[in-house]
Amino acid sequence: DIVMTQSPDSLAVSLGERATINCKSSQSVLYSSNKKNYLAWYQQKPGHPPKLLISWAFTRDSGVPDRFSGSGSGTDFTLTISSLQAEDVAVYYCQQYYSTPLTFGGGTKVEIK
Amino acid sequence: EVQLLASGGGLVQPGGSLRLSCAASGFTFSSNAMSWVRQAPGKGLEWVSSDSGHSTYYADSVKGRFTISRDNSKNTLFLQMNSLRAEDTAVYYCVKNSGGSCYSGLGYWGQGTLVTVSS
């Protein structure tokens, strides 16, 4: 199984400042034949189901604000919120879909400082 | 507009069974992979099962106890859960994959249905 490790577990950021979340996979999720990273990021607000933010490591889903960006390749990935807004308070999860079992990171809770 | 309405959750005794249903609309159900993901109270996300229409996949924790299936004529996804254990207690989300393959992002999540396994 591919283990996904997120860091930090939580972070507090001032409004308008940058938030950075890291995700590391125990093996590469880069598929050599198509050069795609099978890595997604989700946002879950309290009392709501998760929402897909980014797939293929850096492709924003429709309607996702451009302050959210994904980067990385292979085993190391980053989700960046360039200018934190109040509505971004949530738990963020990374997930690999390179192989089954599909696995998630433990989540990173983002709060306002 | 995509809609996923999950139902069938509730309180069940250990060893019991439940069948979850997920009524889908707003997209071409038959050509889309679908998944179930669960979240225990206060915990993170755990993938349970996926169905591409051609292949099915299961987490080891539910293999042999849970069965995913679909009725494309009714745009409905199912999860038959047998031999339930306390550790199966969770909100179960019905999820539309981003494409026809199970190896794709989990593009849209329904509201979920709570399953509680307790005596």
Side-chain angles (χ1 to χ4, degrees):
Chain A
D1 298 4
I2 298 177
V3 177
M4 307 299 291
T5 304
Q6 283 183 237
S7 62
D9 292 336
S10 64
L11 74 161
V13 176
S14 300
L15 288 172
E17 296 299 306
R18 179 185 300 260
T20 300
I21 301 168
N22 299 302
C23 175
K24 188 174 183 66
S25 57
S26 61
Q27 62 189 78
S28 177
V29 298
L30 174 63
Y31 194 38
S32 57
S33 65
N34 60 11
K35 302 291 191 287
K36 286 188 172 184
N37 287 283
Y38 284 54
L39 188 285
W41 289 96
Y42 303 88
Q43 175 193 63
Q44 186 176 29
K45 297 182 180 181
H48 290 269
K51 173 188 172 184
L52 176 66
L53 291 178
I54 287 171
S55 57
W56 309 113
F58 58 80
T59 302
R60 275 189 300 275
D61 200 36
S62 175
V64 174
D66 60 7
R67 64 178 179 274
F68 292 92
S69 62
S71 62
S73 184
T75 61
D76 292 278
F77 300 91
T78 300
L79 174 70
T80 301
I81 310 172
S82 61
S83 175
L84 191 75
Q85 305 299 302
E87 60 265 33
D88 301 334
V89 169
V91 178
Y92 293 84
Y93 296 92
C94 62
Q95 178 237 342
Q96 65 80 19
Y97 47 95
Y98 180 89
S99 65
T100 55
L102 309 183
T103 48
F104 292 87
T108 296
K109 186 174 185 179
V110 174
E111 300 172 307
I112 304 295
K113 185 186 293 183
Chain B
E1 179 192 4
V2 173
Q3 289 198 353
L4 299 171
L5 297 175
S7 60
L11 175 63
V12 61
Q13 292 188 338
S17 298
L18 276 179
R19 189 192 197 203
L20 305 185
S21 299
C22 174
S25 61
F27 64 101
T28 307
F29 180 78
S30 60
S31 60
N32 215 99
M34 298 292 296
S35 299
W36 291 97
V37 177
R38 67 185 181 184
Q39 187 169 35
K43 302 297 184 182
L45 302 170
E46 181 188 17
W47 171 76
V48 173
S49 182
S50 295
D51 181 342
S52 69
H54 308 288
S55 302
T56 57
Y57 306 89
Y58 297 92
D60 285 347
S61 59
V62 306
K63 199 172 294 183
R65 300 188 298 125
F66 291 11
T67 302
I68 191 171
S69 62
R70 62 198 296 161
D71 183 340
N72 289 335
S73 68
K74 296 181 179 178
N75 290 351
T76 303
L77 181 73
F78 302 100
L79 185 68
Q80 177 66 44
M81 304 187 295
N82 299 331
S83 303
L84 283 161
R85 307 166 179 165
E87 54 265 36
D88 295 319
T89 294
V91 172
Y92 284 73
Y93 293 105
C94 171
V95 186
K96 170 187 174 294
N97 285 63
S98 294
S101 167
C102 291
Y103 300 98
S104 59
L106 300 170
Y108 186 85
W109 301 57
Q111 288 300 315
T113 186
L114 176 62
V115 172
T116 303
V117 184
S118 175
S119 55

